[in-house]
Amino acid sequence: MRHILFIAALALPQAGLAASGERIQVTGEVIDTWCYFSGVMGPTDAVVGSAHHTCALWCSAGGIPVGLLTEEGTVYMVLKMEADPASAGGDTNLHIASHTITADGMAYERDGLNYLIVETITADQDIVEQTHDDFGVIPGFAIPEEAAQ
Amino acid sequence: MKHLLFAALCSLIAAPLAAQDFSEGSEARSWNLYAEVPARFTATVTDPLCELAGQCTPDCGGGRQQLVLLREADGAMVFPLKNGQPAFTGAAVELAPFCGQTVEVDGLMIDDPEIGAVNVYLVQRIRPEGGEWRRANQWTKDWATRHPEAAGDGPWFRRDPRVLSEIEREGYLGLGAEADAAFIADWF
C-alpha cells in the first residue's frame, strides 16, 4: 500500500505546484512569441531578425508577449524586462525588438513553458539576424506602399 | 495479480493527466494554423509574476502585465498570447477585468512542442461565472482610448505613435534608413 501511495504521488500532475526559479544569464533574440509559435506568418526562421522587425514592433506594441529565443532554440517568455513589469503595455520592449541581448535574471519552468524575469540587460548586439536578404519583409505589407515608392 | 492491480491503478491516475481534450463544446473559429486545437475550459485569471515569483499586485497589473489562465481541470498554467482580433493584439487587456476570477474561455490552443509551443492560447471569448460570453476583441477600443492623438483612418499599427517613432529612428528593417533604402530599391 505504501508503494502504491508513493507511485500515485509521483503520478500527480506537476501543474499546480509552485515553480522554483533559477538565476541565469542567457543570450537570445527578443522575438514576437505569437508569430513564432503559431506559424501565422510562416516558418520560424522567417519570423526573426530584420525581415520580421516591423511586425515584431506591431506585436510588442499590441501587447503580445515577447520572448527570448536562444541559439539552441529555447524560448523564454519574458514577464519583466529590466524590472519593468508592464510587458503587455507596449512601451517597455519596443526599443529592443528583434535585438539579440544578453539578460541576467530569474528563469522558471511551468507546464512545459519557460519564463524569464529579466533583471538586467548586460549586452545588446542590436539586430543580428539580417533575414530580409532571404525573406523580404514578413508580412509582405510591413512596408506601406507609399514608403516603398 | 498484485502487480497487475498496481499497474492498472498507476495508469488510471496518470491517464487523465497525459492528454486531455478540451475541444468539447468549443465554438472557436479556425485560424487555419498548423498546430491549432480548439479548447474551451474553466480557469482562474492570474498574474504569472505572482504565481511564479511571488511578485503580486492587487489588480494583476491592470492590463499592462501579462496574465495567465490556471486551468481548473488539471491545474495547468496556460499563457494566452493573443486575443481574437486579427490585428497583432494580445490578450492581457481582455483578461485584466477578471483578475483573480474564475472564467470560462473559448479559443485555440497552439500545440507544437518541437518549437516550444506548449500551453499557449488564442482567446476568442470569455464568460465570467454566472455571466454572458463576451468577445475577446476589446484591445483596439482600449488602444483608441489610450491614444486619442492617433485617431484617423487605417489600422492602429499604422498610426501608433510608439511604433512610428521606432520606425522613424531605425527603419522598417531596424537597420537604419540606409538599409531600408537599399532594400526597397532592390525588392520593390
Side-chain angles (χ1 to χ4, degrees):
Chain A
M1 186 62 182
R2 271 189 306 173
H3 290 113
I4 290 175
L5 287 173
F6 175 68
I7 296 296
L10 288 179
L12 285 172
Q14 292 303 301
L17 300 178
S20 59
E22 178 192 6
R23 185 163 206 104
I24 64 167
Q25 289 76 43
V26 62
T27 297
E29 180 179 326
V30 178
I31 62 162
D32 150 28
T33 56
W34 171 248
C35 287
Y36 189 84
F37 282 149
S38 71
V40 68
M41 293 289 169
T44 53
D45 53 354
V47 293
V48 295
S50 55
H52 188 254
H53 177 66
T54 294
C55 187
L57 291 175
W58 294 342
C59 290
S60 184
I64 290 173
V66 303
L68 199 63
L69 170 66
T70 72
E71 204 173 334
E72 295 76 31
T74 301
V75 177
Y76 291 90
M77 309 300 296
V78 175
L79 298 178
K80 248 187 187 182
M81 193 66 88
E82 296 212 290
D84 187 346
S87 54
D91 300 328
T92 304
N93 301 314
L94 285 182
H95 66 292
I96 50 169
S98 324
H99 288 203
T100 293
I101 64 168
T102 300
D104 181 291
M106 292 297 291
Y108 300 83
E109 192 277 336
R110 174 78 183 260
D111 299 322
L113 212 52
N114 300 296
Y115 295 86
L116 186 64
I117 296 175
V118 176
E119 292 182 9
T120 314
I121 297 172
T122 58
D124 181 351
Q125 300 176 48
D126 210 319
I127 296 178
V128 171
E129 300 293 336
Q130 302 209 5
T131 48
H132 67 283
D133 288 337
D134 294 323
F135 298 103
V137 284
I138 305 289
F141 58 84
I143 299 179
E145 276 183 30
E146 60 272 22
Q149 301 304 314
Chain B
M1 185 63 183
K2 267 198 302 185
H3 289 107
L4 279 176
L5 284 171
F6 175 69
L9 177 61
C10 288
S11 61
L12 274 174
I13 293 168
L17 308 170
Q20 292 205 52
D21 179 4
F22 294 98
S23 64
E24 189 179 342
S26 173
E27 296 176 18
R29 190 168 53 88
S30 171
W31 278 40
N32 296 313
L33 301 170
Y34 162 71
E36 70 179 34
V37 184
R40 173 177 169 173
F41 56 89
T42 301
T44 304
V45 178
T46 304
D47 175 357
L49 284 168
C50 185
E51 187 70 15
L52 293 171
Q55 299 175 18
C56 308
T57 50
D59 63 349
C60 301
R64 295 182 59 77
Q65 296 179 201
Q66 298 296 341
L67 297 173
V68 291
L69 296 163
L70 288 183
R71 196 162 52 199
E72 189 176 82
D74 59 357
M77 192 162 99
V78 174
F79 201 158
L81 309 183
K82 187 72 193 75
N83 76 346
Q85 298 177 294
F88 310 101
T89 45
V93 162
E94 315 293 340
L95 293 165
F98 307 109
C99 169
Q101 296 180 33
T102 301
V103 296
E104 191 175 1
V105 291
D106 196 5
L108 301 170
M109 296 295 297
I110 304 298
D111 187 31
D112 192 353
E114 201 171 304
I115 59 169
V118 179
N119 285 316
V120 292
Y121 192 56
L122 177 155
V123 60
Q124 294 184 359
R125 55 184 189 141
I126 305 163
R127 178 163 70 174
E129 265 187 328
E132 298 293 318
W133 284 106
R134 60 182 271 184
R135 311 300 303 182
N137 62 2
Q138 299 300 304
W139 193 96
T140 47
K141 292 172 196 160
D142 181 78
W143 176 86
T145 304
R146 287 177 191 269
H147 296 283
E149 78 284 8
D153 295 329
W156 74 270
F157 48 86
R158 295 285 193 207
R159 293 181 279 126
D160 186 287
R162 303 160 303 172
V163 170
L164 294 176
S165 169
E166 283 298 320
I167 291 173
E168 175 73 22
R169 199 167 63 83
E170 292 201 309
Y172 291 98
L173 301 172
L175 302 171
E178 209 172 303
D180 267 14
F183 171 74
I184 286 167
D186 180 50
W187 202 269
F188 289 93

